[in-house]
Amino acid sequence: MNITREEAAARAAALTVESYQVALDLTRGAERFGSTTTVTFSAADEAVGTQTWIDFVATQAPEVTLNGQAVDVADFDGARLPIGPLAAENTLVVDGLADYTTTGEGLHRFVDPVDDEVYLYSQFEVPDSRRMFAVFEQPDLKATFAFTVTAPAHWAVVSNQPEAVHRTLGVVETPEAPEGVDAAVWEFTPTPRISSYITALVAGPYKSVHSELTSADGRTVPLGVYCRGSLFEHLDADEVFDLTRRGFEFFEAQYGHPYPFDKYDQLFVPEFNAGAMENAGCVTFLESYVFRGTVTDAVRERRAITILHELAHMWFGDLVTMKWWNDLWLNESFAEFMSTLAAAENTRYEGAWTTFSSMEKNWAYRQDQLSSTHPITAEIRDLDDVLVNFDGITYAKGASVLRQLVAWVGQENFMAGVRAYIEKNAWSNTELPDLMTELEAASGRDLSEWTRLWLETSGVNTLAVQVDADDAGTITSLRLHQSAPDGSPAAPGDDVLRPHRIAVGFYDLDEATGRLTRTERFELDAAGEVTEVAEAAGRRRPALILPNDDDLAYAKIRLDDASWETAGARLADVDSSLARTLLWGAAWDTVRDGEASAAWFVDLILTNIGREQDSTVIQTLLRQLATAISQYLPEERSAQVRADAANRLWMLVEQAEPGSDAQLQFVKAFALHAREEGQLAALADVWDRSSELPGLDLTTDLRWELLTALVAAGRAGETEIAAAETEDPTATGALAAAQARAAVPTAEAKQTAWDQVVAGTLSNTTQRQVLLGFQRAHDPALLAPFTDAFFGSIQDVWGSRSHEMAETVAVLGFPSSQVCQEVVDRATALSDEVRGTNAGLARTLAESRDEMARALKARAAA
């Protein structure tokens, strides 16, 4: 199943692939589908007469012919088909049966419990197009793809290109369906030259809404939005179309290149593992982005940015594609940066950079302080490496550093370089130097040292303010002190000080408004250990000095003592959403680094969050509140802190504006932390509608969330779960019920949940929900016996499951509730043991170990 970079490079040097014709038969039952692939390709002179291989993952060997001659498939290993001898020009035919999956990889098959209809979708990144058809599975062997699909006649079938032919067949019989299937055939026009991982197929009785737009070159681009029939009433296609149009307008102008494909369909599909996937002209999304009721503004904004992220990929990733997966970071980071920029500049989400700071940068800082941290330009030796590299460095740190680069060279220069890069490399594959060359030409700056310091080293620096003032309060010296990634288990040689384009803001109290408002801002280059902010000298010392104002730099920040005092007392009074978020982030970092007590942070949140206006910031703070209480406080203190926090959260619920976003978020947080009898009684009254919270939209999904909290507390059980499942007989309801049953606080329920996971019979989303419910335990002792179970079974699980399924068990099944040195030591020992043979499992274990070690450090500080 693995492919090394060296193997891929050798195959790319030997072959030039021209086209694929892929015929799929989806009428052959519930287990497998027919897959016939005809590939035309040429071989380099030195490769003529030699052998190569084509990738095809299947449980049965196919029939293979090369240039009309049968190929012996006796050596087929379930993943590779050896082929040869090669001619200068070759036609290869692979005719076989491929397997549906329920793991969200390859061609995923889902049955809707509402109507028993079958829904399919493909997911191919990184190496899973080979699960649907025979293919040279690497991004630099681009080709054209023409799909022909036979499927039930009442289905919708969608691929990358527009439909060219659609004809009905009548009833067809197959060995797997002797009773016959009323079928039809869809033929799609060939794609442009693209990589196999962005090809796509979505099929089933999806319902859709259609529109169109005019691209920058005057073409009419058809638009479609699809979802399952049982969800269609909830599909808000108008908002999706509006965001799409805004994205097209922004990206075509910024990239200087019209949309490169013939149509743009967006499909919300069931049991999706990620947020979305940038298949060319056929983007797939997580189905929970079809909202069944009221959701927070944070969730709506996340959907908007995801829509823009995938659209940004149509140029950067799909039109111009990385040569090998070591440049995955650039693909994802660029889309992350551009989607935030587009949201901030061309949609109603003008505060998108606040969201970026609150979510993406927090993710990046956390990832960059794990033992698995790596340079942004990570070495990707093989597919196993890239599978575990979809992380906070690849997405969030890379995007943060790109924002720093934009500040360094100027946004106009940056986009001019990007436009030249796209124009020069359209429909081909590139490496990082190809982009950096264009950025240097556009900006006139030598970026070689910047590249070395930012992209080839790991870890996060810290920038601390040091200020001196005279007795009259006049600043005599203001310095930024930079420290290396101390405390980050960075790679050898990463003890670096980096150059930063940074702003320093002065904030003072506006007596008229009672707000802390920025009065001055100094932008400068900071490098080395100490940088003097010369412009600050001679000015009156403000109430608060904020380093990295506007969040241009990628670094943790530390305030001077007087600024900490102001921030702690008046954080809610800071009038800038982004500035408040930077202060929240600095406070959180001090707790994570063991410099401040988690109890202090909990109080800081609960004192100020009631006045916070940004939905994503509230969401982030409430998540951090939960971590601070459950992980960063000693057990003997956490119960009381949690009880007090729940009481204060209920007060915030009652004080919130009826029907507001904050009210909804505080209700959810209260449900998570409610433990005492009075708290649980209040929660039960909301759930069963005995008492009404004015304005609260008690949606089906919210009721499930409240019920699960009551189940975890022992206040509800199977009777209530079964009744709720009867009221909500949907796939979403089934998943919620699975989580609730796993949350039942008995040894028997926990054992049942664990056995389900280890048995490996659950689908990807059901497995995730069972593990989430399993970990809901008010008493950590209830889960203590499963520490041995985890360490005793995780190697077998990892070795017998697909990557997505195994990684979910390794991450969500880790005994994170048992915060102690023994678990840290066991995780270290097993990680070290398997490092040489199973790098993915070793890394996943080490990351969970690192988080627990940090929790122990924070508990000591508390």
Side-chain angles (χ1 to χ4, degrees):
M1 289 290 289
N2 201 9
I3 301 173
T4 68
R5 183 179 182 180
E6 287 74 18
E7 287 177 318
R11 189 163 62 172
L15 307 180
T16 300
V17 186
E18 298 301 326
S19 68
Y20 292 84
Q21 294 181 22
V22 180
L24 302 171
D25 185 353
L26 309 180
T27 67
R28 305 191 60 165
E31 301 296 326
R32 298 180 181 86
F33 56 94
S35 175
T36 302
T37 305
T38 302
V39 195
T40 60
F41 64 98
S42 58
D45 291 345
E46 59 272 19
V48 172
T50 67
Q51 281 203 335
T52 187
W53 86 95
I54 194 165
D55 304 285
F56 184 55
V57 175
T59 52
Q60 298 181 10
E63 295 180 358
V64 182
T65 61
L66 177 64
N67 302 323
Q69 301 296 312
V71 174
D72 184 1
V73 295
D75 292 334
F76 177 56
D77 61 0
R80 295 189 182 197
L81 286 164
I83 55 172
L86 301 178
E89 300 295 330
N90 300 273
T91 299
L92 174 70
V93 180
V94 180
D95 184 9
L97 292 174
D99 302 279
Y100 292 115
T101 74
T102 57
T103 66
E105 302 151 300
L107 189 58
H108 182 95
R109 186 178 189 273
F110 168 84
V111 179
D112 191 337
V114 173
D115 51 20
D116 291 327
E117 290 280 11
V118 173
Y119 291 87
L120 309 176
Y121 69 86
S122 63
Q123 170 59 22
F124 293 157
E125 191 176 31
V126 176
D128 288 324
S129 61
R130 56 185 173 163
R131 293 183 185 273
M132 192 172 88
F133 58 93
V135 61
F136 298 109
E137 184 80 87
Q138 55 192 80
D140 58 343
L141 286 178
K142 286 188 169 184
T144 64
F145 296 82
F147 290 98
T148 299
V149 181
T150 302
H154 71 288
W155 282 13
V157 179
V158 184
S159 188
N160 304 94
Q161 287 290 107
E163 180 184 299
V165 175
H166 180 206
R167 65 180 186 275
T168 59
L169 296 179
V171 176
V172 299
E173 298 179 1
T174 69
E176 297 84 358
E179 72 282 2
V181 176
D182 187 15
V185 173
W186 287 258
E187 294 181 15
F188 298 93
T189 61
T191 69
R193 289 186 65 83
I194 60 175
S195 299
S196 65
Y197 79 92
I198 57 170
T199 61
L201 174 67
V202 182
Y206 289 90
K207 290 191 175 182
S208 57
V209 181
H210 296 268
S211 187
E212 62 185 31
L213 56 77
T214 302
S215 68
D217 58 358
R219 289 177 299 134
T220 297
V221 179
L223 307 176
V225 180
Y226 294 73
C227 73
R228 284 189 289 130
S230 60
L231 277 177
F232 188 69
E233 64 178 298
H234 305 294
L235 181 64
D236 51 342
D238 287 346
E239 183 172 347
V240 175
F241 283 139
D242 178 65
L243 287 163
T244 303
R245 290 189 175 91
R246 291 176 181 276
F248 263 78
E249 178 184 56
F250 185 80
F251 293 135
E252 287 189 327
Q254 293 294 318
Y255 290 137
H257 192 290
Y259 174 67
F261 301 102
D262 293 336
K263 68 177 182 66
Y264 196 67
D265 290 322
Q266 298 173 91
L267 306 103
F268 298 90
V269 299
E271 298 190 324
F272 202 66
N273 285 323
M277 177 62 203
E278 68 268 20
N279 311 309
C282 183
V283 176
T284 44
F285 290 91
L286 184 73
E287 197 175 64
S288 60
Y289 281 152
V290 178
F291 306 134
R292 301 203 304 171
T294 301
V295 296
T296 64
D297 291 343
V299 172
R300 285 195 173 276
E301 183 181 24
R302 175 49 44 191
R303 183 180 69 172
I305 291 176
T306 303
I307 287 171
L308 294 169
H309 177 110
E310 305 312 320
L311 182 55
H313 272 310
M314 296 299 115
W315 292 264
F316 208 100
D318 291 5
L319 175 64
V320 182
T321 312
M322 62 202 160
K323 185 175 182 180
W324 178 246
W325 298 103
N326 55 302
D327 282 324
L328 170 68
W329 79 270
L330 186 57
N331 194 15
E332 297 301 343
S333 296
F334 195 89
E336 198 76 358
F337 170 79
M338 288 299 294
S339 60
T340 304
L341 184 67
E345 297 193 3
N346 209 43
T347 77
R348 67 185 177 90
Y349 298 103
E350 297 175 352
W353 287 116
T354 295
T355 296
F356 182 85
S357 181
S358 182
M359 291 189 65
E360 271 70 23
K361 274 203 167 176
N362 264 315
W363 180 22
Y365 294 149
R366 184 174 71 250
Q367 186 82 49
D368 213 7
Q369 295 176 85
L370 297 171
S371 58
S372 60
T373 191
H374 54 84
I376 292 175
T377 54
E379 180 185 4
I380 302 296
R381 299 161 297 181
D382 54 28
L383 293 182
D384 286 349
D385 277 353
V386 71
L387 285 169
V388 296
N389 244 48
F390 280 85
D391 61 13
I393 305 298
T394 297
Y395 281 79
K397 182 178 179 180
S400 302
V401 169
L402 282 180
R403 191 176 192 213
Q404 170 70 186
L405 178 59
V406 170
W408 192 258
V409 302
Q411 185 167 324
E412 290 187 9
N413 292 333
F414 180 82
M415 291 312 307
V418 169
R419 285 191 287 272
Y421 167 81
I422 288 176
E423 184 65 27
K424 183 178 293 187
N425 297 292
W427 306 115
S428 64
N429 296 86
T430 61
E431 297 178 291
L432 175 63
D434 298 311
L435 175 62
M436 301 310 290
T437 295
E438 302 304 329
L439 293 178
E440 287 185 336
S443 67
R445 300 191 74 159
D446 181 351
L447 297 174
S448 57
E449 183 67 358
W450 185 95
T451 299
R452 183 185 72 81
L453 290 172
W454 276 109
L455 303 183
E456 298 174 7
T457 63
S458 63
V460 54
N461 297 101
T462 300
L463 294 169
V465 171
Q466 297 178 335
V467 59
D468 296 323
D470 60 21
D471 293 341
T474 300
I475 294 173
T476 58
S477 176
L478 176 60
R479 302 171 301 283
L480 298 176
H481 186 279
Q482 180 179 189
S483 55
D486 183 42
S488 303
D494 286 6
D495 189 24
V496 294
L497 301 179
R498 300 184 176 98
H500 305 263
R501 186 66 182 174
I502 193 169
V504 177
F506 280 10
Y507 288 77
D508 265 316
L509 185 66
D510 184 328
E511 298 292 346
T513 63
R515 306 284 280 170
L516 278 168
T517 302
R518 186 166 70 190
T519 56
E520 294 192 81
R521 178 183 182 275
F522 314 106
E523 187 170 324
L524 67 155
D525 291 338
E529 186 174 354
V530 178
T531 299
E532 190 79 25
V533 185
E535 289 181 84
R539 287 172 163 79
R540 185 181 61 82
R541 177 174 182 148
L544 189 151
I545 300 171
L546 179 60
N548 197 25
D549 202 8
D550 294 326
D551 202 25
L552 302 179
Y554 175 81
K556 294 191 293 184
I557 62 174
R558 294 293 188 266
L559 311 183
D560 64 279
D561 290 344
S563 294
W564 270 126
E565 185 175 346
T566 299
R570 309 206 63 160
L571 202 155
D573 293 326
V574 177
D575 66 354
S576 162
S577 173
L578 182 53
R580 286 197 309 275
T581 297
L582 289 167
L583 292 169
W584 282 120
W588 178 235
D589 283 335
T590 63
V591 176
R592 281 178 44 80
D593 291 345
E595 298 171 12
S597 164
W600 164 80
F601 185 70
V602 168
D603 181 67
L604 185 71
I605 289 177
L606 296 171
T607 300
N608 292 278
I609 196 171
R611 292 173 57 196
E612 182 57 60
Q613 298 299 309
D614 189 284
S615 178
T616 299
V617 174
I618 294 174
Q619 174 183 276
T620 298
L621 291 173
L622 291 174
R623 289 174 178 174
Q624 291 170 348
L625 177 78
T627 301
I629 293 173
S630 65
Q631 296 289 300
Y632 292 171
L633 281 170
E635 288 184 23
E636 62 272 16
R637 293 193 62 194
S638 63
Q640 185 58 54
V641 172
R642 188 189 299 276
D644 292 343
N647 288 333
R648 293 174 72 179
L649 283 165
W650 184 252
M651 291 175 60
L652 289 167
V653 168
E654 295 180 317
Q655 294 166 4
E657 180 183 347
S660 66
D661 183 275
Q663 180 196 48
L664 176 59
Q665 295 213 52
F666 295 150
V667 166
K668 289 170 173 276
F670 173 74
L672 180 66
H673 294 289
R675 296 290 189 274
E676 296 183 340
E677 184 58 34
Q679 297 167 354
L680 294 170
L683 181 62
D685 285 346
V686 175
W687 170 73
D688 66 12
R689 298 187 175 94
S690 297
S691 66
E692 181 180 348
L693 286 174
L696 181 68
D697 184 6
L698 196 60
T699 63
T700 300
D701 291 338
L702 179 57
R703 293 195 76 225
W704 271 117
E705 200 164 337
L706 304 185
L707 175 58
T708 302
L710 292 168
V711 169
R715 286 290 300 260
E718 179 57 33
T719 299
E720 291 81 4
I721 296 171
E725 199 169 14
T726 300
E727 292 178 14
D728 183 21
T730 66
T732 306
L735 290 172
Q739 182 180 154
R741 289 189 173 101
V744 171
T746 64
E748 294 76 16
K750 298 301 181 185
Q751 188 64 57
T752 297
W754 183 256
D755 290 345
Q756 288 178 316
V757 169
V758 173
T761 57
L762 303 176
S763 72
N764 54 338
T765 50
T766 304
Q767 175 181 268
R768 174 175 292 275
Q769 293 305 307
V770 168
L771 282 166
L772 290 172
F774 170 81
Q775 294 287 9
R776 292 283 292 265
H778 291 185
D779 182 2
L782 185 61
L783 297 180
F786 295 95
T787 298
D788 288 342
F790 174 83
F791 286 110
S793 62
I794 192 59
Q795 289 188 77
D796 289 340
V797 168
W798 196 280
S800 62
R801 311 281 174 84
S802 71
H803 174 79
E804 286 285 351
M805 300 295 280
E807 187 176 52
T808 299
V809 178
V811 172
L812 296 183
F814 188 85
S816 56
S817 63
Q818 312 301 306
V819 182
C820 62
Q821 190 61 42
E822 178 188 354
V823 172
V824 169
D825 293 341
R826 292 186 70 173
T828 299
L830 184 54
S831 178
D832 291 345
E833 177 186 333
V834 303
R835 192 172 304 281
T837 56
N838 195 333
L841 176 57
R843 170 177 169 161
T844 303
L845 290 168
E847 290 184 344
S848 295
R849 179 272 320 275
D850 293 346
E851 292 290 3
M852 187 168 288
R854 185 175 288 275
L856 288 172
K857 181 179 179 181
R859 288 186 176 196

